[in-house]
Amino acid sequence: MKKCLELATKGMGYVSPNPMVGCVIVFNNQIIGEGYHKKYGTAHAEINAIENVKDRSLLKKSTLYVNLEPCVHFGKTPPCTNLIIESEIPKVVIGCRDSYSEVSGKGIEKMQNIGIEVIVGVLEKESRELNKRFFTFHEKKRPYIILKWAESKDGFMAPLNQKKPFWMTSSESKKLVHKWRAEEEAILIGRITAKKDNPSLTVREVAGNNPIRIIIDKNLTLSGDLNLFNSEAKTIIFNSIKSEKTGTNYFIKIDFNYLIKKILKELHKQNIQSFKIEGGSITLQSFIDANIWDEARIFTANKLLSQGLKTPIIEGKIILERKIGTDTLEIITNR
């Protein structure tokens, strides 16, 4: 199962809205086939693992391991349970059940009904953690939300009266942030951050897909010349004025009296399973105050500002603390 999880991570950033899945097939304590879900719309892990087996006759005496319950419905590809049954694999070991309503126990039941031995719950915690975005999306009906900011040693996010883009952390931290961008479907910022920093919110430092860019601009006062409005990635602009599409820019009108609720509802409707907030303290604190967040990633730079914009106030469980270049990174969970 550890091998399944290792394989599954290779699909990060490429398989959403599907989950990350890895699969290995074992005969006489030897792996004879393995595979993972490589890209949304292509074959699932179980299919790739079965097709990787050179001697198909061995499948009738083998055990299939997979970190998530095999699908039982027709989507972009046929159900994996069908091929498992057709291959006469006698035993299937599963990391965790799939909470997606189209699957949720049905794959397990279908295999058990024809006599396959099914074991569920091997490295279950690790299997759910790997696909925390997928499970949050289907169980809470909203994307998985990651807060990210950098602060000085004396607790400031930016200088007072900031006039130009300001980067506080080390080059190592910057590269890591770009890697994180490639792992999430979208990045959200507010109007002030867009205006002051003029960010591109792309993955220039690493290989990977650019995330969808999300901006909150109630009265549409931002200049169309900003980097966020170029064609490098899709941009969603939540506002109170209009809904229209212009090139890669999607203007969506929402009720700002229920801002967070409306944003989450719209992103869920668009099948966006995760987003990272790289905005300023006001945007970050609004999600913290509403207690609608899952994880916070906070860099503390080796710098003093003496005065400036104070950081958000957050409570949670620290699950990681380590050095990144000259910075300290803390990861806090809200679970």
Side-chain angles (χ1 to χ4, degrees):
M1 193 58 70
K2 287 182 178 178
K3 181 66 174 178
C4 291
L5 294 169
E6 179 187 316
L7 288 166
T9 58
K10 294 182 178 182
M12 179 170 279
Y14 298 98
V15 301
S16 186
N18 286 348
M20 292 176 280
V21 183
C23 177
V24 298
I25 299 171
V26 176
F27 173 74
N28 278 352
N29 294 318
Q30 295 292 321
I31 293 177
I32 60 171
E34 62 180 48
Y36 68 98
H37 186 28
K38 296 179 179 180
K39 188 177 181 180
Y40 176 66
T42 64
H44 290 185
E46 300 93 321
I47 307 300
N48 288 330
I50 290 171
E51 290 182 348
N52 188 241
V53 176
K54 292 180 180 179
D55 184 354
R56 296 290 183 90
S57 68
L58 297 179
L59 291 172
K60 297 179 182 180
K61 304 173 185 178
S62 299
T63 300
L64 181 145
Y65 293 80
V66 63
N67 59 287
L68 187 69
E69 177 182 0
C71 64
V72 72
H73 65 294
F74 282 88
K76 293 283 186 180
T77 59
C80 294
T81 49
N82 287 8
L83 185 59
I84 292 171
I85 292 168
E86 291 166 10
S87 301
E88 300 183 59
I89 296 172
K91 184 176 180 179
V92 175
V93 180
I94 299 169
C96 64
R97 288 175 178 263
D98 189 336
S99 59
Y100 177 41
S101 60
E102 292 290 331
V103 183
S104 196
K106 297 173 186 174
I108 294 168
E109 183 181 4
K110 184 173 183 177
M111 290 186 291
Q112 288 176 329
N113 285 343
I114 61 98
I116 295 175
E117 180 186 356
V118 181
I119 297 173
V120 184
V122 176
L123 296 185
E124 182 174 14
K125 181 181 177 181
E126 292 84 350
S127 295
R128 282 189 60 86
E129 178 65 21
L130 175 69
N131 281 305
K132 57 192 175 185
R133 298 159 181 82
F134 177 81
F135 286 115
T136 297
F137 184 81
H138 289 290
E139 294 170 6
K140 296 185 178 181
K141 308 302 179 186
R142 65 162 175 81
Y144 187 87
I145 300 169
I146 299 170
L147 313 177
K148 174 263 167 184
W149 72 84
E151 59 185 58
S152 62
K153 288 197 294 185
D154 48 355
F156 297 103
M157 288 182 69
L160 283 178
N161 304 315
Q162 180 186 341
K163 301 296 184 183
K164 59 183 180 179
F166 176 75
W167 192 274
M168 193 181 322
T169 52
S170 64
S171 58
E172 292 91 344
S173 296
K174 184 176 183 180
K175 189 170 183 178
L176 179 59
V177 168
H178 282 228
K179 178 179 179 292
W180 286 344
R181 287 177 181 175
E183 294 173 353
E184 310 307 328
E185 287 191 65
I187 300 181
L188 181 146
I189 64 171
R191 177 186 59 82
I192 296 173
T193 299
K195 183 178 179 180
K196 287 188 174 182
D197 291 346
N198 190 22
S200 296
L201 301 183
T202 55
V203 295
R204 304 177 302 281
E205 301 277 331
V206 299
N209 295 323
N210 287 327
I212 296 169
R213 303 176 291 199
I214 303 169
I215 311 168
I216 303 171
D217 183 15
K218 182 178 181 179
N219 298 315
L220 295 179
T221 58
L222 290 172
S223 167
D225 295 330
L226 292 174
N227 294 330
L228 291 164
F229 299 115
N230 63 28
S231 60
E232 289 183 306
K234 176 180 177 179
T235 300
I236 295 173
I237 306 98
F238 287 114
N239 67 92
S240 63
I241 298 172
K242 66 178 181 180
S243 290
E244 69 176 37
K245 177 181 179 294
T246 306
T248 55
N249 300 319
Y250 293 73
F251 295 85
I252 299 177
K253 182 180 178 180
I254 59 173
D255 184 352
F256 271 66
N257 291 321
Y258 306 94
L259 180 60
I260 293 177
K261 181 180 178 180
K262 293 296 184 181
I263 286 175
L264 297 183
K265 183 178 180 180
E266 183 63 35
L267 297 182
H268 186 270
K269 187 168 72 175
Q270 294 197 26
N271 256 346
I272 294 175
Q273 290 191 358
S274 68
F275 67 88
K276 187 151 63 79
I277 301 176
E278 291 194 16
S281 60
I282 295 174
T283 302
L284 289 161
Q285 195 67 56
S286 65
F287 279 83
I288 294 169
D289 291 344
N291 197 31
I292 302 177
W293 63 279
D294 299 287
E295 191 177 310
R297 301 172 181 178
I298 305 166
F299 290 98
T300 301
N302 189 29
K303 292 179 181 177
L304 295 171
L305 292 182
S306 299
Q307 58 180 347
L309 183 67
K310 292 293 289 183
T311 61
I313 299 171
I314 192 169
E315 292 183 3
K317 179 182 177 183
I318 298 174
I319 58 173
L320 182 146
E321 184 172 352
R322 66 187 174 105
K323 294 290 289 184
I324 307 291
T326 56
D327 309 317
T328 300
L329 168 65
E330 278 187 349
I331 296 184
I332 300 173
T333 182
N334 192 25
R335 290 176 287 164

